[in-house]
Amino acid sequence: MSPRTNDGEPERELPASGRRSEDADVVTDADADPVTETDAVAVAVAVAGQDAEAAVAAETDEPVTDVRVAAVRRFAAAGRRRRMVELGACAAMLAVALTAGAIAVGAAHETRNTPVVTAAAVTPGLLASADLGEGITALQAHLRAQPRDFGGWATLGLAYVEQARTNGDPSRYPQAEQAVKRSLALRPDNDQALAGRAALAAARHDFPNALKYADEALKQNPYSERALCSRIDALVELGRYDDAARAADLADERRPGVPVFTRYAYVRELRGDVTTARRVLDQALDSSTTPGDIAYVATQIGQLAWNQGDYEDALTHYARALAADENYLPALEGRARAQAASGRRTEALTGLENVVARFPLPGPLVELGELYEARGAEGDRAKADDQYTLVDAWTALARANGVNADLDTALAAADHGDRTAALRAARAEWDRRQTVHTADALAWALHVNGEDAEALPYARRATATGYHNASFLYHRGMIEQANGNAKDARTHLTAALKLNPGFSPPGARAARTALKSLKALEAAK
């Protein structure tokens, strides 16, 4: 596959919903989901006393960083409260942090009956810039003047999906949904909105509908880049890897570019072909021209390098991503993870503290909690617990906005929460989609609940495709040890540490301890 220039934006994630006001057609934060927007914010005001702060942020559209920082600090200082009270307050604070800075989108009365096409100034390419907010602002201004622009509404929906992902703000999803619905109401068969609906479903982890909507979009436009990419995503997340590989080949034929290249690479990585994955990502980076594309692809290369234990290469590419967009969350998180694995714990802690203060997502929250535990200074245990409780709050908020968060729940709760809930969530996710990730999550949830015999087939399935993932190998090795399979346990625990010795502070420590125990037992025979 030769390098090609990308003519679109990297496919990323999803948006939200609103209702019509008396004075204008709007999609606003206050109009989104009444559970997450009205009730949660009301509770947040009562609990956190944030009336003035939230009102100013909402009115002026200022960034929500300061609000989030204050929310996290208040939560960390709250002390040890009863679990339900603590979680309720945390969810409320997250609601303030995630909704206070949201952007209202207004449009004038409908004075014409004919839909119009999107102005060149607000084409999807504008949203590939590092400043997504600038692109959204331009779209908002355009839609106030041209409220019947079906293409503009579709693009706005996709922009909200991306904003939800980059800001860790699931309340954007109802807004994105409303924007896409508005586009389809104006032009029911427009492929932009159909593809947007597929992207939204994928972002909410509704992968059967993501596949369905992507196919509908491709019937209207077989060359829709977003639909082609959402189709690959859906097939991957449904565990249909052979179909995903064929879909990636088809997408590469029809719409080669950065979004397709990165998905093509991931499909190969899942099948154990790291060499091809890296080659394709290098080609994608060479063909990237916008800051958004560069940050996106360089981060993917960094993640691939980190998975193989090459921390210096990972740090080099995360640095390149952050040079293109200094606020790109996946690169900030990845850099901190690589720093921690390289022994640069202080830098990693500082980096993750900054990330979670602005973007309280499950991944960085768990990573920060584990780093606190690994450091073990006075108060670190309480700090770690705060991060794990914030994961629960984020999960509750995500579910309230239509996101299926069972995989996040299972992974976090198995090690740092309610193990029974972890198993329940993992089983539910496995029933929906059978992937290497859900197999791994179910295997580990069964293990921590003492169901090791049942866990082993799932652990084997998680590693069956050849995907190079140290956590999967570690989980399999620990489950094999629990089942009395000492030889296999040594093989997989050793492989995990060889592949990526810093894959997880507690996981790597447990793997080394288990290997010592296995060697001692062997020596005693």
Side-chain angles (χ1 to χ4, degrees):
M1 196 171 73
S2 59
R4 305 172 178 95
T5 301
N6 175 46
D7 60 354
E9 161 190 37
E11 278 286 320
R12 299 171 179 120
E13 294 211 13
L14 299 75
S17 133
R19 63 175 178 272
R20 184 170 298 179
S21 73
E22 295 178 358
D23 299 323
D25 294 306
V26 296
V27 176
T28 70
D29 299 294
D31 289 336
D33 188 294
V35 173
T36 60
E37 302 289 81
T38 304
D39 297 343
V41 172
V43 173
V45 169
V47 172
Q50 290 304 295
D51 305 65
E53 182 179 56
V56 169
E59 182 68 23
T60 62
D61 250 6
E62 287 299 314
V64 299
T65 300
D66 292 340
V67 181
R68 289 192 178 117
V69 169
V72 172
R73 286 176 178 166
R74 282 192 303 276
F75 176 77
R80 313 266 50 90
R81 297 192 181 104
R82 289 174 57 204
R83 176 72 174 172
M84 293 306 294
V85 173
E86 184 181 58
L87 179 56
C90 176
M93 290 177 188
L94 276 176
V96 170
L98 296 174
T99 61
I103 300 172
V105 180
H109 284 293
E110 296 183 18
T111 56
R112 297 189 293 171
N113 295 321
T114 305
V116 296
V117 296
T118 305
V122 289
T123 56
L126 176 63
L127 301 179
S129 68
D131 188 354
L132 179 62
E134 180 181 322
I136 288 176
T137 299
L139 273 170
Q140 292 166 348
H142 172 73
L143 288 169
R144 290 187 187 100
Q146 300 284 2
R148 296 191 62 79
D149 177 2
F150 65 89
W153 285 109
T155 303
L156 180 64
L158 285 164
Y160 277 137
V161 170
E162 169 65 359
Q163 196 168 58
R165 186 190 65 81
T166 57
N167 289 355
D169 183 357
S171 69
R172 285 297 190 203
Y173 293 143
Q175 291 174 285
E177 182 179 357
Q178 183 65 17
V180 170
K181 284 181 177 178
R182 178 65 181 275
S183 178
L184 289 169
L186 291 166
R187 180 70 64 84
D189 60 351
N190 84 84
D191 66 273
Q192 289 173 273
L194 292 170
R197 187 164 61 172
L200 177 57
R204 283 174 157 167
H205 296 179
D206 179 5
F207 298 110
N209 274 328
L211 181 59
K212 172 187 172 183
Y213 297 147
D215 285 339
E216 290 178 4
L218 290 170
K219 287 180 182 178
Q220 299 298 323
N221 177 7
Y223 295 88
S224 168
E225 181 181 72
R226 287 185 174 84
L228 288 165
C229 289
S230 291
R231 190 168 192 276
I232 299 169
D233 292 343
L235 290 167
V236 165
E237 296 299 340
L238 290 169
R240 295 169 54 180
Y241 298 128
D242 290 341
D243 290 336
R246 287 189 285 270
D249 289 337
L250 178 64
D252 184 48
E253 291 174 9
R254 292 182 178 177
R255 288 300 302 270
V258 167
V260 172
F261 287 177
T262 53
R263 284 161 173 80
Y264 189 104
Y266 185 53
V267 169
R268 267 56 189 180
E269 183 187 358
L270 285 170
R271 295 157 72 96
D273 188 356
V274 174
T275 300
T276 298
R278 179 58 186 262
R279 175 176 58 81
V280 173
L281 287 174
D282 285 339
Q283 292 175 345
L285 187 58
D286 289 342
S287 67
S288 298
T289 56
T290 68
D293 282 354
I294 293 168
Y296 179 60
V297 180
T299 299
Q300 297 300 308
I301 297 176
Q303 177 64 29
L304 181 64
W306 185 85
N307 279 342
Q308 313 314 308
D310 190 345
Y311 307 135
E312 289 307 311
D313 188 36
L315 287 167
T316 296
H317 283 89
Y318 290 135
R320 183 165 183 182
L322 293 169
D325 180 357
E326 63 183 5
N327 294 311
Y328 190 54
L329 171 62
L332 290 168
E333 180 187 352
R335 181 179 65 179
R337 189 189 305 116
Q339 288 170 336
S342 302
R344 296 156 60 179
R345 182 185 293 164
T346 300
E347 292 174 79
L349 278 166
T350 300
L352 280 175
E353 285 169 347
N354 289 333
V355 167
V356 302
R358 297 157 59 194
F359 310 107
L361 290 166
L365 285 167
V366 169
E367 289 158 8
L368 179 57
E370 291 181 346
L371 281 180
Y372 283 137
E373 289 190 68
R375 185 174 65 178
E378 184 178 354
D380 276 351
R381 177 70 256 183
K383 289 181 180 178
D385 288 342
D386 288 346
Q387 311 315 309
Y388 305 144
T389 302
L390 278 167
V391 172
D392 293 340
W394 182 92
T395 301
L397 190 61
R399 284 175 172 159
N401 284 279
V403 180
N404 169 20
D406 278 341
L407 185 58
D408 298 292
T409 298
L411 291 171
D415 286 324
H416 306 294
D418 184 337
R419 294 178 177 183
T420 301
L423 181 55
R424 184 169 56 250
R427 287 193 189 280
E429 194 67 12
W430 178 256
D431 288 343
R432 279 188 287 269
R433 53 191 183 109
Q434 299 182 3
T435 71
V436 293
H437 292 89
T438 54
D440 173 70
L442 180 53
W444 194 241
L446 285 164
H447 168 70
V448 299
N449 280 276
E451 303 292 339
D452 293 298
E454 186 181 355
L456 187 54
Y458 294 105
R460 289 170 174 164
R461 184 157 179 173
T463 56
T465 68
Y467 180 41
H468 294 199
N469 187 295
S471 290
F472 289 12
L473 292 168
Y474 158 65
H475 288 162
R476 177 171 176 174
M478 296 297 286
I479 293 168
E480 287 168 336
Q481 181 190 30
N483 277 286
N485 301 342
K487 181 179 179 181
D488 290 341
R490 284 197 306 274
T491 296
H492 292 109
L493 291 171
T494 301
L497 292 171
K498 182 179 179 180
L499 175 63
N500 186 353
F503 69 92
S504 158
R509 183 172 59 251
R512 293 187 180 96
T513 299
L515 281 172
K516 288 181 182 179
S517 176
L518 288 165
K519 289 178 181 177
L521 286 173
E522 183 179 5
K525 289 181 179 179

